[in-house]
Amino acid sequence: GYPFPPYGGSYQPSQGSDDDWDDDWDDSSTVADEPGALGSSYPDYEAAGGGASGRYRLSTRSEPSLGPRGAGHPPGHPHPPGGGGAAKSSATVSRNLNRFSTFVKSGGEAFVLGEASGFVKDGDKLCVVLGPRGPEWQENPYPFQCSIEDPTKQTKFKGMKSYIAYKLVPSHTGQQVHRRYKHFDWLYGRLAEKFPVISVPHLPEKQATGRFEEDFISKRRKGLAWWMDHMCSHPVLAQCDAFQHFLTCPSTDEKAWKQGKRKAEKDEMVGANFFLTISVPTGPGASLDLQEVESQVDGFKAFTKKMDESALQLNHTANEFARKQVTGFKKEYQKVGHSFKCLSQAFELDQQAFSAGLNQAIAFTAEAYDAIGDLFADQPRQDLDPVMDLLALYQGHLANFPDIIHVQKGALTKVKESKRHVEEGKMELQKAEGIQERCNIISFATLAEINHFHKIRVRDFKSQMQHFLQQQILFFQKVTQKLEEALHKYDSV
């Protein structure tokens, strides 16, 4: 992970889930209520200083190395023991003894060493194809979107317990379903475990207090909308069974929900077996040049580090700027307005009829400045907030990539080792070729994921920057209009 302390913030771990799991449908243990399990807490970083700045909270969402994948393995899903019970001969590539390494935990090592075996159904196959820019995930033949609408407060146990439910409307079914945050949380946990080399977008953070406040609810809804967009845009995540179950299972059918939930929790194509489901281009010229892969991945690693730093910096700057507009700018403009108002009141002491027009015009100017102060205070939610929402989502992705890169690096290391062993006569060529072939699969998947990341990044930042500048222009037009109205008041003086 990238452990940065937030700017000027005090680190506060989350106050536990904002949706207790003491639920009627929750008879079996789930990922989200186990301490240390996947996604069980997102740290919040509170911006220093209370008051209006409380609304502009810095959330870096880049947890130090206990990223969603780094958290303990969910209970009840132990990884198959290493080695598959085979007797170890001196000719094997050495195993990684650090069982906490992501390469080992993700199942990448077992897969590369040829210890994973399982039957892959057609429906589980994930295809990587060669596109114009290199490996890509095969596009979803039936793309869809899903809107998240009107969060409503609901209660159960005769009003003893309240929660917020979101209305989801997937475009491919048109059937609305209601889901709570904990359902999102459960899904996130399943997917982060299932897909070791895919960046599963992080959910907007949990919040224990004030979670029924309008501001928080609308902010979370926007965060979930971005999350949903990234899920639907990802060719693999969008088509995965657990996600489809989440989108389509009727909210009222508890039995069906539980069945789908159990099925997802019993999914065997996770960890090492996940890599078995990936099919890559074959034939002459289809295998990747390892040297080239390594330099591409290193390039991407340097890119993510830089992007992460600049996203954090921009988030900090936007947060500060928003805070100044809400408090400082508003106050300054209203001070100017107040001073003009005092001037017009002084002028009113002169009872002459011919100065009345001037007094009114100056009083009007005072009101214009007052109104401009309010415009400044309202502006951040139109333009800066959406930029910060996007940055938060991308900081989640950036926190995922070190682990993904680590899995790929681990595979490359095994290939280099096996080549050395062959040269030293410690390993038969065929075995080394198997290792290289399986590393090739991990490399194809990693490069496809990197490609996808760049594609959506360009799409998202383009539309967000356009939105930001359009809103800024509208804002200054409103300010100009107020000033012009004030100017015209002097025409008749």
Side-chain angles (χ1 to χ4, degrees), residues 212-286:
F212 296 134
E213 285 165 20
E214 213 126 312
D215 240 11
F216 171 69
I217 291 168
S218 91
K219 193 164 170 47
R220 174 180 271 180
R221 192 194 67 78
K222 288 178 191 134
L224 288 174
W226 267 121
W227 180 87
M228 182 61 81
D229 173 70
H230 274 221
M231 290 294 297
C232 298
S233 317
H234 197 292
V236 176
L237 297 175
Q239 299 183 78
C240 122
D241 289 348
F243 183 48
Q244 285 298 331
H245 171 63
F246 171 85
L247 291 179
T248 57
C249 179
S251 317
T252 46
D253 194 341
E254 234 153 85
K255 197 166 162 220
W257 174 262
K258 271 187 202 169
Q259 272 173 340
K261 188 161 164 285
R262 285 210 192 97
K263 184 172 169 240
E265 283 160 8
K266 287 202 176 80
D267 183 0
E268 286 178 357
M269 290 303 158
V270 300
N273 289 352
F274 158 77
F275 296 105
L276 294 172
T277 63
I278 300 168
S279 72
V280 300
T282 50

Side-chain angles (χ1 to χ4, degrees), residues 167-475:
K167 182 168 90 181
L168 274 50
V169 188
S171 63
H172 61 319
T173 63
Q175 300 297 312
Q176 60 172 45
V177 295
H178 287 89
R179 296 286 180 255
R180 293 170 57 179
Y181 183 80
K182 67 166 188 185
H183 298 123
F184 283 90
D185 204 36
W186 167 80
L187 176 67
Y188 170 79
R190 300 288 352 117
L191 300 177
E193 186 206 8
K194 180 172 167 65
F195 297 115
V197 290
I198 288 175
S199 176
V200 181
H202 291 208
L203 288 164
E205 71 267 34
K206 293 189 158 129
Q207 176 155 327
T209 53
R211 63 177 196 270
F212 296 134
E213 285 165 20
E214 213 126 312
D215 240 11
F216 171 69
I217 291 168
S218 91
K219 193 164 170 47
R220 174 180 271 180
R221 192 194 67 78
K222 288 178 191 134
L224 288 174
W226 267 121
W227 180 87
M228 182 61 81
D229 173 70
H230 274 221
M231 290 294 297
C232 298
S233 317
H234 197 292
V236 176
L237 297 175
Q239 299 183 78
C240 122
D241 289 348
F243 183 48
Q244 285 298 331
H245 171 63
F246 171 85
L247 291 179
T248 57
C249 179
S251 317
T252 46
D253 194 341
E254 234 153 85
K255 197 166 162 220
W257 174 262
K258 271 187 202 169
Q259 272 173 340
K261 188 161 164 285
R262 285 210 192 97
K263 184 172 169 240
E265 283 160 8
K266 287 202 176 80
D267 183 0
E268 286 178 357
M269 290 303 158
V270 300
N273 289 352
F274 158 77
F275 296 105
L276 294 172
T277 63
I278 300 168
S279 72
V280 300
T282 50
S287 86
L288 300 166
D289 176 317
L290 289 187
Q291 223 92 42
E292 214 170 288
V293 173
E294 193 165 11
S295 82
Q296 272 178 294
V297 172
D298 283 341
F300 181 69
K301 191 177 176 177
F303 166 85
T304 52
K305 189 172 180 299
K306 201 77 191 138
M307 179 173 171
D308 209 58
E309 285 163 13
S310 59
L312 203 59
Q313 173 61 36
L314 176 56
N315 195 18
H316 175 60
T317 308
N319 201 48
E320 271 295 282
F321 191 43
R323 201 174 53 79
K324 283 177 184 156
Q325 277 175 263
V326 173
T327 51
F329 290 17
K330 176 178 173 170
K331 213 158 71 197
E332 296 302 320
Y333 272 85
Q334 292 180 346
K335 257 191 216 163
V336 174
H338 182 68
S339 304
F340 281 137
K341 194 170 175 207
C342 291
L343 182 68
S344 78
Q345 283 166 345
F347 282 4
E348 268 168 23
L349 293 177
D350 168 27
Q351 304 281 305
Q352 304 289 343
F354 70 84
S355 73
L358 176 66
N359 302 346
Q360 281 162 356
I362 295 178
F364 189 87
T365 307
E367 282 164 24
Y369 269 80
D370 220 41
I372 291 171
D374 286 331
L375 286 175
F376 267 105
D378 292 339
Q379 193 53 25
R381 69 175 71 213
Q382 314 305 326
D383 50 28
L384 289 167
D385 279 5
V387 170
M388 290 194 279
D389 288 340
L390 179 69
L391 290 173
L393 180 84
Y394 272 87
Q395 283 174 316
H397 279 304
L398 293 168
N400 290 341
F401 276 112
D403 283 352
I404 293 172
I405 290 168
H406 181 77
V407 171
Q408 205 277 331
K409 286 261 185 242
L412 276 177
T413 308
K414 292 288 175 241
V415 173
K416 290 174 186 166
E417 257 178 58
S418 66
K419 281 186 172 154
R420 208 170 53 241
H421 285 324
V422 169
E423 283 160 19
E424 292 164 3
K426 287 185 191 164
M427 181 188 265
E428 55 277 25
L429 186 63
Q430 198 185 353
K431 188 161 185 182
E433 281 171 349
I435 287 177
Q436 178 152 2
E437 206 174 292
R438 289 184 293 272
C439 172
N440 194 45
I441 290 176
I442 291 183
S443 298
F444 261 113
T446 308
L447 293 177
E449 187 57 20
I450 288 173
N451 229 327
H452 175 73
F453 176 77
H454 284 315
K455 202 163 99 187
I456 55 169
R457 175 180 60 85
V458 171
R459 176 202 75 173
D460 290 348
F461 279 86
K462 172 189 169 179
S463 75
Q464 203 54 71
M465 290 307 292
Q466 284 173 322
H467 174 83
F468 174 75
L469 292 169
Q470 283 156 354
Q471 291 300 320
Q472 281 274 291
I473 290 165
L474 280 173
F475 167 68

Side-chain angles (χ1 to χ4, degrees), residues 469-487:
L469 292 169
Q470 283 156 354
Q471 291 300 320
Q472 281 274 291
I473 290 165
L474 280 173
F475 167 68
F476 285 108
Q477 282 169 343
K478 278 186 221 160
V479 172
T480 310
Q481 195 188 340
K482 291 269 174 228
L483 297 171
E484 279 173 349
E485 280 169 20
L487 177 63

